[in-house]
Amino acid sequence: MAFLKLAKTDQVLEGKILVKKTKFTNIILTRLDGEFLAFEDVCTHDGEIISCGKLEGEVITCPRHFAKFNIRTGAVLAKPATEPLTLFPVRINGDDIEVDYEDAF
Ligand code: FES
């Protein structure tokens, strides 16, 4: 485990995307039904910046070829992607959002 502090809880709004650049990759933070989620800002189909896509509830749509993913599970909901999104464990430490960049799944 290697947690990285990425934002304050009040910076991440329900249903909105906050992109944080790290030296490892760019990570999207969002809040869904009060739960903080983190996933890589990369579409697994062909590497598009998925934060430029549309987030509706727990589904994000890639802007390039319109693959859809569930942001809670990473599951592919619509092709052409076949591999799930890369998700990161999140923990809240006080009012800090910390992401475990070593244990991506
Ligand atoms: S790069 Fe995202 S669907 Fe093709």
Side-chain angles (χ1 to χ4, degrees), residues 32-88:
L32 188 60
D33 300 326
E35 179 185 5
F36 292 97
L37 302 172
F39 53 98
E40 191 173 27
D41 191 8
V42 175
C43 176
T44 59
H45 174 238
D46 197 26
E48 181 63 88
I49 298 169
I50 203 163
S51 59
C52 295
K54 191 170 187 181
L55 178 63
E56 297 171 289
E58 59 185 34
V59 178
I60 194 161
T61 304
C62 178
R64 193 178 332 163
H65 308 112
F66 309 110
K68 293 179 185 287
F69 301 89
N70 182 303
I71 63 169
R72 275 193 207 280
T73 66
V76 176
L77 303 175
K79 293 185 174 185
T82 57
E83 296 295 318
L85 282 179
T86 299
L87 309 180
F88 298 95

Side-chain angles (χ1 to χ4, degrees), residues 17-31:
I17 281 174
L18 179 67
V19 180
K20 300 303 285 188
K21 295 183 188 303
T22 75
K23 62 183 177 182
F24 308 101
T25 189
N26 291 350
I27 296 176
I28 294 174
L29 297 174
T30 189
R31 191 191 300 208

